[in-house]
Amino acid sequence: MDTFAISRDGRFIASGSRDSFVRIHDLVTGSLVRRRRVEAPMSRNPSESDHGEAADDLARTVDIEGAELSAGYAVLESSDGPVEYHPIDALAFTPDGTRILCASGGSLHTLACSNLLPMEVKPLGRSVCSIAVSDDHALIATGSEEGLITVMR
């Protein structure tokens, strides 16, 4: 596990790791409630040195296991063509607990908590190490290892 977030109501904890999975556990029982692997369409040749930016703003999730991560990402084939898996760098629940924001591979993924399916993906063009959401959902802030804070509406 590399990152985690607790829902505002204290019922759930979400975790993310280098294996590209987002997991939600029930804090009362400790049981795994949901698990999905965040997947992004391959945007460039995996041999290139910068593989963090997603050119396409579409992403899907799949529930599979076993990809070896090398150089921080993995490439697999899906029915729609090659896809990339990146480590989960940061997570945050929205205040109402219906969504999880997930930073992975230079993109910000919005996942529905009910099934962890993607609702929206925003390419950021850089790695994110922290995420915060305002109480009214109007603002999302991301922080990078370079010390940059980006605020989005």
Side-chain angles (χ1 to χ4, degrees):
M1 175 185 54
D2 294 320
T3 185
F4 65 92
I6 297 174
S7 63
R8 296 242 172 130
D9 63 7
R11 293 180 53 212
F12 301 102
I13 187 166
S15 65
S17 60
R18 297 197 57 76
D19 65 4
S20 305
F21 278 96
V22 172
R23 295 169 176 86
I24 299 178
H25 286 84
D26 183 302
L27 279 173
V28 174
T29 66
S31 63
L32 178 66
V33 177
R34 283 172 205 76
R35 176 186 71 148
R36 288 280 179 176
R37 191 169 204 185
V38 175
E39 173 185 302
M42 199 158 128
S43 59
R44 60 180 74 220
N45 183 332
S47 64
E48 293 178 22
S49 62
D50 177 16
H51 29 70
E53 295 179 56
D56 194 334
D57 66 353
L58 298 175
R60 296 173 291 110
T61 58
V62 292
D63 195 5
I64 63 171
E65 300 212 27
E68 288 284 324
L69 288 179
S70 62
Y73 73 103
V75 177
L76 294 179
E77 286 286 331
S78 77
S79 59
D80 297 328
V83 293
E84 294 178 323
Y85 297 105
H86 299 275
I88 306 301
D89 299 316
L91 291 171
F93 279 93
T94 56
D96 64 5
T98 62
R99 298 179 181 119
I100 293 177
L101 300 178
C102 166
S104 179
S107 294
L108 185 63
H109 303 256
T110 302
L111 308 174
C113 286
S114 60
N115 55 17
L116 291 180
L117 292 176
M119 300 174 71
E120 180 181 19
V121 178
K122 292 182 181 181
L124 300 174
R126 62 179 166 71
S127 182
V128 169
C129 62
S130 61
I131 304 170
V133 184
S134 65
D135 285 342
D136 62 0
H137 296 232
L139 301 174
I140 298 169
T142 61
S144 72
E145 290 182 7
E146 297 84 21
L148 298 172
I149 297 172
T150 303
V151 179
M152 299 169 270
R153 292 194 177 273

